[in-house]
Amino acid sequence: MTSSRNVCAFLGRVLCPLLKLLAVTCVWSLSVWLVQAQTYSGMLTWHNDLARTGQNLQETLLTTTDVNSKTFGKLFSFAVDGQIFGQPLYVYNVAIPGKGTYNVIYVVTENDSVYAFDADGGNTTALWSDSFIDPGKGITPIPCADTGNACPFASVVGITGTPVIDPGSGTLYVVAATKENGAFVNRLHALDITSGAEKFGGPVQIEASVKGTGAGNNHGIVSFDAQHESQRPGLLLLNGVVYIGWASFGDVAPFHGWVLGYGATSLARMAVFNSTPNGSDGGVWQSGGAPSVDSAGNIYLITGNGTFDVNKEGTDWGDSFLRFDATLVVQDYFTPDDQAKLSKNDLDLGSGAGLLLPSQSGKFPDEIVSAGKQGLIYVVNRLNMGKFNSQKNNVIQTVRGSAGGYWSSPAYWNNMIYYSGNQDFLSQYSLSQGLLSKSPVYQAPTQFAVGSTPSVSANGTTNGIVWAIERKLKDKGVFPPEVLHAYDGTKISNELYNTSQAGTRDVLGSGITFAVPTVMNGKVYVGTGNKLDVLGLLN
């Protein structure tokens, strides 16, 4: 090998320093590229992906053979300080300072706390935790009594919407609601997933206003009001912007549907949408579901009952499927022909999130599926959504679903859609040429009192398991324990397991509406009241 001295002698005094500088630059550039390319993986957002399918296709440990009451059950639990509403999120191989590297499960509570736990249960205490309250200084979660209605939580409102995690920067974004010496506040926090430390100069207080004559306006300005706005939907992270949605606490006026976009690293507000600036209501509920996103970066969400006047050149979008660009300008929409009836009777269209189907082989390749409290399942063309027609619905298909309506979102796997209505059985619909079967091809054996948003684990197209949490109604003023069900994804009339089959061994905590199970790496994580229950294969 030629020595560097001989190379320098050959190239001369001018070229040699340049060669050395080039070599150093290449090494530095390579190291920077490696750092930038290092990303985290896991379940980083509500319902697993931006299409909101709810499926995890890399689950190789849980199979339809092994998930039964003899070989599967509760492994351990983690205590937390409040009810868990948001879906637990999972990240592989996180280096926790001073503690080692773990697979980590992240949990938020209505007591305004965030926890990071060892997802495998080897460490029985929190790897780190944050609390955003300080009662000694008058900073608490919002008491339910202050919302003006019976909110769906035990006593307080804190962190409700499922956070979102940026895999590149290792940042968890979460919105906390607090009452601070009489004032009501929402703040966006950006937390380091390794330590819980605040990042990017955060947190920032949520503030916004739009021009309008709608409910609660002050001299033609409608302002965001943290006392009346409930941050229920999961957060969305898209192209460096965190999108956050709000509805209300039990329809207590005045309220509106809001969606705000904040820079992921600047934490500066970048986009504002109010669904009813010249009306009222139109909340973004989605039963806790996050907005959906297609491959072109279009954002989809569905509003609840409220003022609708877009057909009369207005700006109010109650009970509508909406497609946005990144700046939250509406690009297209669909509103049912009976919107006025839906609004009058509190039959929210947006009581669940939209599921974006993979490209279909039929006439309409790009579709979104959702259903509301009326019980109709809509299949909508995302490229031409149909707008409003008082005589008919210009959509691909409507299917009469649950008579009790839906307070939940569907899941998708292997050309099947799974939907759970109120006072109904979890139903499996087949999908062919972009059309749903007109009735369920299979139904699960248990009738759920309250609809449930299912999740699916599978190894590609095999070993599909549909997981659903059954929440019981109050018994003598107390919520009984939740029941986790597992069904064969190819035929959900075949129940593989539920937590009541093993007696007291697998009893879960009591839960709250809209909880979604997280299934990762051979374990199922179920958020309940004051604890996180973890199930998996028994030794």
Side-chain angles (χ1 to χ4, degrees):
M1 179 179 293
T2 305
S3 69
S4 60
R5 180 178 299 176
N6 290 338
V7 170
C8 283
F10 176 77
L11 292 176
R13 295 181 178 179
V14 176
L15 290 179
C16 188
L18 291 177
L19 181 64
K20 291 180 178 180
L21 178 60
L22 178 62
V24 171
T25 302
C26 288
V27 171
W28 176 83
S29 299
L30 179 61
S31 65
V32 170
W33 180 86
L34 288 173
V35 170
Q36 291 177 340
Q38 186 178 16
T39 60
Y40 294 97
S41 61
M43 187 171 287
L44 312 177
T45 187
W46 183 85
H47 232 201
N48 203 29
D49 53 40
L50 295 182
R52 311 307 175 189
T53 66
Q55 61 182 349
N56 170 15
L57 301 181
Q58 284 78 47
E59 180 53 64
T60 60
L61 298 177
L62 299 177
T63 69
T64 54
T65 300
D66 293 335
V67 175
N68 58 68
S69 59
K70 293 182 179 180
T71 58
F72 181 90
K74 188 165 72 171
L75 302 176
F76 51 89
S77 300
F78 292 113
V80 296
D81 67 356
Q83 290 180 309
I84 300 171
F85 184 105
Q87 182 179 347
L89 300 180
Y90 186 107
V91 183
Y92 287 102
N93 300 322
V94 180
I96 305 296
K99 295 184 178 181
T101 298
Y102 297 86
N103 298 324
V104 179
I105 192 81
Y106 297 89
V107 178
V108 296
T109 76
E110 293 298 337
N111 203 45
D112 279 317
S113 292
V114 182
Y115 293 85
F117 292 114
D118 174 5
D120 299 314
N123 194 321
T124 58
T125 59
L127 301 172
W128 60 258
S129 64
D130 284 341
S131 174
F132 303 128
I133 63 173
D134 189 344
K137 294 183 179 179
I139 304 172
T140 67
I142 297 176
C144 275
D146 288 355
T147 66
N149 202 335
C151 60
F153 314 116
S155 58
V156 296
V157 180
I159 300 174
T160 302
T162 299
V164 67
I165 294 175
D166 178 6
S169 67
T171 307
L172 181 147
Y173 297 92
V174 62
V175 173
T178 52
K179 183 178 182 182
E180 304 182 4
N181 298 302
F184 299 88
V185 178
N186 277 193
R187 286 191 174 87
L188 172 62
H189 297 260
L191 307 178
D192 187 327
I193 65 170
T194 70
S195 65
E198 297 277 3
K199 300 178 66 174
F200 311 129
V204 294
Q205 185 169 336
I206 303 294
E207 296 176 317
S209 61
V210 296
K211 292 181 179 180
T213 58
N217 86 89
N218 185 9
H219 301 292
I221 299 296
V222 177
S223 297
F224 178 85
D225 182 355
Q227 184 177 4
H228 291 95
E229 300 294 335
S230 172
Q231 202 290 291
R232 182 176 293 184
L235 276 58
L236 163 67
L237 175 65
L238 179 67
N239 295 330
V241 179
V242 180
Y243 295 93
I244 312 163
W246 285 265
S248 79
F249 299 107
D251 282 347
V252 176
F255 79 94
H256 303 266
W258 290 88
V259 183
L260 305 179
Y262 283 82
T265 55
S266 67
L267 300 187
R269 193 180 67 241
M270 302 179 69
V272 177
F273 171 76
N274 182 297
S275 66
T276 53
N278 295 310
S280 66
D281 302 16
V284 182
W285 309 91
Q286 301 203 152
S287 294
S292 311
V293 181
D294 65 21
S295 59
N298 296 304
I299 301 169
Y300 299 82
L301 59 81
I302 307 164
T303 58
N305 59 270
T307 307
F308 174 76
D309 58 13
V310 175
N311 60 318
K312 301 176 182 177
E313 299 185 356
T315 57
D316 299 312
W317 301 92
D319 292 302
S320 298
F321 284 68
L322 301 177
R323 187 183 79 211
F324 298 90
D325 65 13
T327 64
L328 295 180
V329 173
V330 177
Q331 302 296 304
D332 199 2
Y333 76 98
F334 162 68
T335 306
D337 56 11
D338 60 349
Q339 187 277 331
K341 173 186 173 182
L342 299 181
S343 185
K344 180 180 179 180
N345 294 287
D346 191 28
L347 295 172
D348 298 80
L349 180 67
S351 57
L355 165 62
L356 304 192
L357 296 178
S359 183
Q360 298 298 297
S361 57
K363 184 178 178 181
F364 304 102
D366 301 297
E367 299 177 349
I368 179 172
V369 176
S370 192
K373 293 181 182 179
Q374 189 181 29
L376 279 180
I377 303 173
Y378 293 91
V379 182
V380 177
N381 180 6
R382 302 201 310 266
L383 300 183
N384 184 7
M385 299 184 74
K387 298 183 171 58
F388 175 79
N389 185 320
S390 62
Q391 303 302 312
K392 64 176 182 178
N393 290 320
N394 293 319
V395 296
I396 298 168
Q397 185 186 20
T398 58
V399 173
R400 173 59 64 182
S402 175
Y406 296 94
W407 279 255
S408 59
S409 302
Y412 169 89
W413 177 69
N414 217 20
N415 292 317
M416 297 289 177
I417 288 178
Y418 309 92
Y419 234 139
S420 172
N422 281 357
Q423 298 290 334
D424 204 354
F425 301 90
L426 178 68
S427 295
Q428 176 181 345
Y429 294 85
S430 63
L431 185 66
S432 177
Q433 299 290 306
L435 296 177
L436 291 178
S437 54
K438 294 182 179 180
S439 60
V441 293
Y442 298 107
Q443 287 188 307
T446 303
Q447 185 180 48
F448 286 12
V450 181
S452 177
T453 295
S455 296
V456 181
S457 64
N459 184 6
T461 59
T462 65
N463 280 309
I465 301 174
V466 180
W467 305 86
I469 298 171
E470 178 190 0
R471 177 178 180 255
K472 305 283 189 177
L473 297 178
K474 280 187 177 180
D475 181 16
K476 298 180 180 179
V478 178
F479 284 111
E482 291 179 340
V483 178
L484 175 68
H485 295 263
Y487 305 101
D488 186 336
T490 61
K491 186 178 181 179
I492 62 171
S493 56
N494 177 22
E495 183 169 28
L496 306 173
Y497 164 86
N498 71 66
T499 49
S500 63
Q501 291 175 346
T504 60
R505 185 195 71 188
D506 294 347
V507 172
L508 305 180
S510 60
I512 54 180
T513 312
F514 316 130
V516 180
T518 294
V519 189
M520 290 291 291
N521 199 29
K523 294 182 176 62
V524 183
Y525 301 87
V526 181
T528 67
N530 301 92
K531 65 175 181 172
L532 176 71
D533 288 318
V534 185
L535 300 93
L537 299 176
L538 303 171
N539 293 328

